[in-house]
Amino acid sequence: MNMKMKKVVALTMTAVMGLTLAACGGGNSSSQDAGTGNEGQDTPEASTSEPADNTADAGASSDVANKDKPLVWFNRQPSNSSTGELDMAALSFNDHTYYVGFDANQGAEVQGTMIKDYIEKNIDTIDRNGDGVIGYVLAIGDIGHNDSIARTRGVRKALGTGVDKDGDINSEPVGTNVDGSTSAVQDGTIEVNGKTYTVRELASQEMKNSAGATWDAATAGNAIGTWSSSFGDQIDIVASNNDGMGMSMFNAWSKDNTVPTFGYDANSDAVAAIAEGYGGTISQHADVQAYLTLRVLRNALDGVDVDTGIGTADDAGNVLSDDVYMYNEDERSYYALNVAVTADNYQDFTDSTKIYEPVSAQLDESAHPAKKVWLNIYNASDNFLSSTYQPLLQNYDDLLNLDIEYIGGDGQTESNITNRLGNPGQYDAFAINMVKTDNAASYTSLLSQ
């Protein structure tokens, strides 16, 4: 079978309402707010134990009930968007159900540290107006999204501006805080070469547009225009929960004013912009995530240990090292690890759709016959998912002999996606990227019929 003939459906709805970028991949239970396609979830510290062998009832076929077919949630971990509590009913829907994302807490820490390191390295030039205050502004993606919460906390923790709220760092937007009086954050300090500098969050807001879409790049571009006109020479750093918003602010203002801007996702345009002054970004190893998304399905369909081709080499030699992913058995979740992308290494990340070399070997179709998979992307207009994640999936599906039907949603409602899963019986497995982390039952109820 020529796997290039797979059906690719990427329907962009006319009601997209101007949605732009995601991130890496939550929100509240209402499906009217668009989440971010590139975001995973803020999770408890994951273990590195390997998954159990669930081969007893593996190997989907036409006579397998839909409720028993392999299922992987990816990019959005089934969870309560208010508390972050995992939806274990969805994560253990059947013996072949898993989640694939990235370690949000580890990535948040890496982003915050990257910004702090940049400040210290460039301390002689970073304070643009020489007032002894390193001022930064922060674009928040979605105040109810675990990834956004983690990244906001990561920046504030690294820069010393976080304050405690209910046992963790407050992740709420501050509005404006030019005088340092807002209670949601505090002034931090950085000491370099014997001199102490104040670090202040001058402003932050959720980037939500009038239609309800969050992580909105256009809103971020407008925000930096407002902030810069109000207190422009006080802004020394621009921080963003993702590259979509970060690049919007970079192109609108900070590039021309040589203000370093930091994002998240390692989107191709952001990586390329590092050569033009973009401060840095975080790679959430989308290449590893995309591979894991399809690999766990392939293994279940083959009736082999789920660790095959992951922690244990498969018959083609594909295997991942433990420095690029971890598995949490209790959460039935695989997490890719994050890497800072800066001026020192950005050239290694210029092609965001390049498959990961250690897992690039073609499987023998006689031993791994073609299977049909239904896979959806929550928003066909999402930059990260459409320009990075889906192209990676399309590279790996050929290598893994999977015939995938790709469905693109509108970024706002689950029904726009679930309405196109009218006959699940024609598929051998499913890969699901929800609009909202609360809404797993919208899909499992269809598979249970």
Side-chain angles (χ1 to χ4, degrees):
M1 174 180 180
N2 182 358
M3 298 305 298
K4 292 293 185 181
M5 296 299 293
K6 59 185 172 292
K7 186 192 303 182
V8 178
V9 180
L11 300 178
T12 305
M13 305 301 294
T14 58
V16 165
M17 305 297 291
L19 288 177
T20 53
L21 262 174
C24 254
N28 55 43
S29 58
S30 168
S31 62
Q32 296 307 307
D33 289 343
T36 171
N38 59 314
E39 322 311 343
Q41 294 296 316
D42 183 10
T43 59
E45 182 176 354
S47 71
T48 56
S49 60
E50 294 300 334
D53 185 349
N54 291 319
T55 60
D57 189 34
S61 64
S62 59
D63 59 353
V64 176
N66 293 325
K67 67 181 179 60
D68 297 322
K69 292 177 179 178
L71 165 65
V72 61
W73 309 98
F74 70 97
N75 188 256
R76 278 173 169 73
Q77 192 171 32
S79 60
N80 184 305
S81 59
S82 298
T83 66
E85 181 181 0
L86 298 186
D87 180 354
M88 292 309 302
L91 289 166
S92 56
F93 176 64
N94 61 36
D95 288 342
H96 312 299
T97 299
Y98 296 92
Y99 169 72
V100 172
F102 67 100
D103 189 331
N105 286 331
Q106 180 255 353
E109 182 178 348
V110 172
Q111 186 188 34
T113 301
M114 172 179 64
I115 296 172
K116 181 174 182 287
D117 288 347
Y118 184 95
I119 293 172
E120 294 176 341
K121 184 177 180 180
N122 296 276
I123 197 64
D124 292 337
T125 57
I126 196 72
D127 184 6
R128 295 199 306 140
N129 65 357
D131 63 354
V133 177
I134 310 301
Y136 71 93
V137 295
L138 175 63
I140 295 175
D142 179 345
I143 58 174
H145 192 295
N146 282 351
D147 288 350
S148 186
I149 291 169
R151 293 170 196 177
T152 297
R153 287 173 174 166
V155 170
R156 290 175 177 173
K157 178 180 178 181
L159 300 182
T161 56
V163 298
D164 180 82
K165 181 181 180 182
D166 300 327
D168 213 331
I169 292 175
N170 192 343
S171 61
E172 296 172 354
V174 302
T176 58
N177 181 44
V178 180
D179 61 359
S181 63
T182 303
S183 61
V185 293
Q186 64 184 0
D187 282 353
T189 58
I190 289 181
E191 184 174 337
V192 185
N193 300 328
K195 182 177 179 180
T196 300
Y197 296 82
T198 297
V199 182
R200 179 173 297 163
E201 186 169 310
L202 300 171
S204 57
Q205 74 176 61
E206 180 186 37
M207 298 306 167
K208 185 175 184 176
N209 69 20
S210 59
T214 52
W215 304 83
D216 188 63
T219 302
N222 292 333
I224 194 64
T226 300
W227 292 335
S228 62
S229 64
S230 299
F231 41 90
D233 66 352
Q234 295 174 265
I235 303 174
D236 303 308
I237 293 283
V238 175
S240 174
N241 284 171
N242 76 359
D243 281 333
M245 299 180 300
M247 282 298 294
S248 182
M249 294 187 292
F250 182 71
N251 290 324
W253 180 78
S254 52
K255 178 181 178 180
D256 290 341
N257 289 274
T258 63
V259 175
T261 301
F262 296 86
Y264 202 112
D265 290 333
N267 288 343
S268 294
D269 59 342
V271 173
I274 291 176
E276 302 176 314
Y278 197 71
T281 182
I282 301 296
S283 168
Q284 53 175 283
H285 259 310
D287 49 359
V288 173
Q289 287 187 66
Y291 173 75
L292 287 169
T293 297
L294 300 186
R295 186 75 218 203
V296 296
L297 295 180
R298 179 75 264 177
N299 290 341
L301 292 165
D302 287 346
V304 301
D305 192 316
V306 70
D307 194 47
T308 304
I310 300 175
T312 305
D314 64 14
D315 50 14
N318 295 306
V319 67
L320 294 172
S321 57
D322 59 11
D323 61 341
V324 296
Y325 85 101
M326 65 172 62
Y327 176 73
N328 187 309
E329 184 176 12
D330 292 339
E331 298 172 1
R332 300 185 62 83
S333 296
Y334 285 91
Y335 301 107
L337 301 181
N338 303 265
V339 181
V341 181
T342 67
D344 295 330
N345 66 346
Y346 77 94
Q347 292 182 337
D348 297 333
F349 294 85
T350 53
D351 185 357
S352 64
T353 63
K354 181 180 179 181
I355 60 177
Y356 191 53
E357 185 62 30
V359 288
S360 60
Q362 176 73 51
L363 296 188
D364 182 349
E365 192 167 354
S366 64
H368 308 275
K371 296 289 184 178
K372 191 167 184 180
V373 177
W374 187 93
L375 181 151
N376 83 279
I377 299 293
Y378 96 103
N379 180 11
S381 298
D382 178 272
N383 184 285
F384 171 75
L385 290 170
S386 63
S387 67
T388 298
Y389 211 107
Q390 182 168 326
L392 283 165
L393 290 168
Q394 290 171 314
N395 287 332
Y396 285 121
D397 64 17
D398 283 342
L399 294 176
L400 299 175
N401 303 323
L402 296 174
D403 180 9
I404 299 183
E405 182 169 354
Y406 291 91
I407 303 295
D410 65 0
Q412 298 186 70
T413 60
E414 304 292 353
S415 61
N416 178 263
I417 301 165
T418 56
N419 286 344
R420 286 178 279 168
L421 186 54
N423 185 15
Q426 66 181 299
Y427 304 99
D428 298 295
F430 307 91
I432 296 174
N433 171 219
M434 295 178 287
V435 173
K436 290 294 181 183
T437 64
D438 306 87
N439 293 342
S442 299
Y443 299 88
T444 56
S445 61
L446 285 176
L447 299 181
S448 298
Q449 293 176 3

